[in-house]
Amino acid sequence: MGCGGRHLLSSALALFMVQVHGQGGVKFQNWAKTYGCSPELYFQPTSVEEIREILDMARQRNKRVKVVGGGHSPSDIACTDDFMIQMGKMNRVLKVDKEKQQVTVEGGIFLSDLNVELSKHGLALANLGAVSEVAAAGVIGTGTHNTGIKHGILPTQVVALTLLTASGEILECSESINADIFQAARLHLGCLGVVLTVTFQCMPQFNLHEVTFPSTLTEVLDHLGDHLKRSQYFRFLWFPHSENVSVIYQDPTNKPPLSSASWLWDYAVGYYLLEFLLWISTFVPSLVSWINRFFFWLLFSSRVENIAISYKIFNYECRFKQHVQDWAIPIEKTKEALLELKAALENNPKMVAHYPVEVRFARGDDIWLSPCFQRDSCYMNIIMYRPYGKNVPRLNYWLTYEGIMKKYGGRPHWAKAHSCTRKDFEKMYPAFSKFCSVREKLDPTGIFLNAYLEKVFY
């Protein structure tokens, strides 16, 4: 090889090394700024080859690797002090199959971008979570859900995926190929490998008609079956320290878009005033029950209607930074569990709870680590806001809620903070040991583990 050839080769090699060069000094924080870490090296790969290089480097240096997407999980599931791979540059739509109504995407694509791309092809996902600034691989990895008793959690819409394992092998997974790995990888917790591509089952694009109206906790719980039949995507918000409930129906419609959004009410009142009052309540906790009732009267006491393309209705404003817990219990336990939580708050006047407690529903499935594994479920989401970033005491409320959820056979949302360990999960999940054996086979040295996952598996 002549000088020029050698020079070209060394330039190419140098360029390749630069591409997989990790950044030091990056501070990672989740969206709510409740968890963070300082990975030794932070990578944003653009190809499978680069990810393989990163895994090789991690093996040589005896480091672990954590893959992140949008960083929205309100827990430390994405944190590491070793190597972090952010998938944002692997975000292409690879194939749209109009006949099968399926789309194949790279794992790093944000659902906010996918929604827009799908609508160009006259398609949509049948269900979405509240937030779309999240990556496709991350959404399935933590079992993101919305509501609707005819609809499963988001991973139930996955018909195939490809996984890059710790050894550098690429596995195609579906119901018919690597079926066991598929049932594990549809809710993978980031511990089986790097999800390179995901194929979603879609449906024809549709508009949603949202109707919000006031009710009471007694009425909704006494007629829960009727509400579930009446609306395809039914959920309700309970305002703790009161009987107040806001019922939300969302259903497909052919009607044209209609918006009742108002900057004054949604932001000036619903955001800025609420944050200020909650901050004041950190000094006078008894104010919280008044705030919950006041905001129900101000923003939720009349009937409101909106019509828009489906993803604009599914997605909604998460307001400001917050701590959350979200457990799934068998649907038939909804009334008992919620009334017990209400009674616990009434019996402990010093225990305060911000609004809302959001109650959603999901169809049972056969995904091994799905909180809805083999049972129709009710998700009960509690929240404590952090006005101006200030933490509000929540330990009593958190432990009381967790105790009630465990009593009724609950399983925690994987993305959200909880205090469960392997012993708990072995009781909660009939297929837990199956998942563990797949994980140990695909990642025998635990390169994809972190502190959060060690509590789950050890």
Side-chain angles (χ1 to χ4, degrees):
M1 187 187 284
C3 260
R6 270 201 305 276
H7 180 69
L8 275 173
L9 181 62
S10 63
S11 298
L13 282 171
L15 180 66
F16 189 69
M17 290 312 290
V18 167
Q19 282 177 328
V20 293
H21 176 70
Q23 241 180 306
V26 172
K27 271 192 162 24
F28 168 80
Q29 275 199 311
N30 68 337
W31 173 81
K33 295 189 164 48
T34 46
Y35 292 89
C37 61
S38 301
E40 186 179 312
L41 288 176
Y42 179 86
F43 300 89
Q44 288 187 296
T46 57
S47 69
V48 178
E49 288 69 32
E50 287 178 45
I51 300 174
R52 280 200 176 109
E53 284 276 320
I54 297 161
L55 294 181
D56 284 345
M57 197 191 302
R59 255 192 306 276
Q60 286 158 19
R61 298 200 200 171
N62 201 21
K63 298 291 179 187
R64 286 175 166 181
V65 176
K66 206 74 229 115
V67 183
V68 298
H72 229 278
S73 294
S75 70
D76 55 346
I77 192 168
C79 292
T80 185
D81 292 329
D82 288 358
F83 290 3
M84 181 174 277
I85 297 177
Q86 205 282 332
M87 293 290 281
K89 290 184 176 173
M90 295 180 71
N91 63 349
R92 293 173 303 158
V93 174
L94 300 173
K95 184 184 178 192
V96 178
D97 185 329
K98 285 198 165 178
E99 206 175 304
K100 288 184 178 171
Q101 298 183 346
Q102 291 176 355
V103 63
T104 302
V105 296
E106 288 186 305
I109 193 170
F110 272 22
L111 293 193
S112 49
D113 296 324
L114 177 57
N115 292 332
V116 174
E117 283 302 311
L118 284 175
S119 73
K120 289 178 190 170
H121 295 278
L123 295 172
L125 289 168
N127 211 348
L128 286 165
V131 179
S132 277
E133 280 67 48
V134 286
V139 156
I140 67 169
T142 54
T144 299
H145 68 95
N146 183 21
T147 195
I149 200 54
K150 290 181 181 164
H151 297 274
I153 61 173
L154 265 64
T156 60
Q157 298 175 73
V158 175
V159 291
L161 54 85
T162 57
L163 189 67
L164 177 69
T165 66
S167 66
E169 185 186 2
I170 293 178
L171 297 177
E172 305 277 337
C173 306
S174 67
E175 294 274 9
S176 54
I177 310 163
N178 291 316
D180 268 12
I181 295 172
F182 182 63
Q183 289 308 12
R186 280 205 286 175
L187 202 162
H188 55 75
L189 301 184
C191 68
L192 303 179
V194 182
V195 175
L196 299 174
T197 71
V198 182
T199 302
F200 289 104
Q201 183 61 52
C202 304
M203 63 183 292
Q205 181 179 312
F206 60 103
N207 280 359
L208 274 178
H209 182 190
E210 177 181 79
V211 182
T212 304
F213 59 92
S215 187
T216 65
L217 190 60
T218 305
E219 188 282 326
V220 171
L221 293 178
D222 285 351
H223 301 99
L224 196 57
D226 296 338
H227 287 290
L228 284 162
K229 283 188 200 120
R230 220 170 280 157
S231 175
Q232 192 176 144
Y233 303 95
F234 155 67
R235 73 179 196 274
F236 68 92
L237 312 178
W238 170 53
F239 289 66
H241 311 292
S242 79
E243 260 284 308
N244 297 330
V245 161
S246 175
V247 174
I248 301 152
Y249 285 177
Q250 294 171 342
D251 291 283
T253 183
N254 295 320
K255 293 177 188 170
L258 162 81
S259 174
S260 59
S262 142
W263 183 90
L264 174 73
W265 291 105
D266 295 350
Y267 284 92
V269 174
Y271 186 104
Y272 298 110
L273 177 61
L274 176 61
E275 185 166 29
F276 176 68
L277 290 174
L278 287 174
W279 180 75
I280 299 262
S281 78
T282 61
F283 306 100
V284 190
S286 57
L287 266 182
V288 170
S289 61
W290 174 84
I291 290 169
N292 289 0
R293 287 193 297 271
F294 174 65
F295 272 84
F296 177 80
W297 170 78
L298 201 61
L299 298 177
F300 297 91
S301 59
S302 57
R303 182 185 169 95
V304 177
E305 295 190 44
N306 286 293
I307 299 172
I309 191 166
S310 58
Y311 65 84
K312 291 185 179 174
I313 296 284
F314 285 139
N315 291 166
Y316 55 88
E317 179 58 61
C318 278
R319 301 188 194 273
F320 27 87
K321 310 308 183 195
Q322 54 199 239
H323 287 285
V324 290
Q325 279 224 68
D326 191 18
W327 286 52
I329 56 173
I331 196 165
E332 63 275 11
K333 303 291 185 190
T334 305
K335 182 176 179 177
E336 290 167 80
L338 206 44
L339 290 178
E340 193 163 324
L341 185 62
K342 182 173 186 267
L345 289 168
E346 285 165 1
N347 296 334
N348 296 281
K350 287 187 177 170
M351 189 159 67
V352 297
H354 292 166
Y355 86 82
V357 171
E358 184 179 17
V359 184
R360 290 174 284 179
F361 304 90
R363 195 188 66 217
D365 59 54
D366 54 2
I367 298 170
W368 291 350
L369 289 191
S370 165
C372 303
F373 182 72
Q374 293 182 344
R375 68 187 197 198
D376 291 350
S377 300
C378 162
Y379 277 93
M380 215 169 279
N381 186 90
I382 64 168
I383 192 163
M384 288 299 270
Y385 290 115
R386 301 173 60 234
Y388 309 122
K390 184 176 181 182
N391 279 322
V392 180
R394 66 183 194 281
L395 189 62
N396 280 352
Y397 181 33
W398 249 227
L399 293 175
T400 301
Y401 165 85
E402 273 202 3
I404 294 167
M405 294 296 102
K406 281 182 178 174
K407 176 180 169 181
Y408 290 106
R411 297 167 179 156
H413 189 315
W414 289 105
K416 300 182 182 179
H418 56 79
S419 63
C420 299
T421 60
R422 176 168 181 143
K423 272 187 180 168
D424 297 306
F425 295 126
E426 283 173 340
K427 284 183 206 143
M428 292 170 181
Y429 288 98
F432 190 75
S433 60
K434 277 191 191 174
F435 186 95
C436 289
S437 61
V438 166
R439 188 197 73 74
E440 285 154 20
K441 190 173 79 182
L442 294 180
D443 184 20
T445 62
I447 198 172
F448 295 113
L449 293 179
N450 64 356
Y452 172 101
L453 291 169
E454 281 184 342
K455 281 184 285 191
V456 173
F457 295 114
Y458 293 107

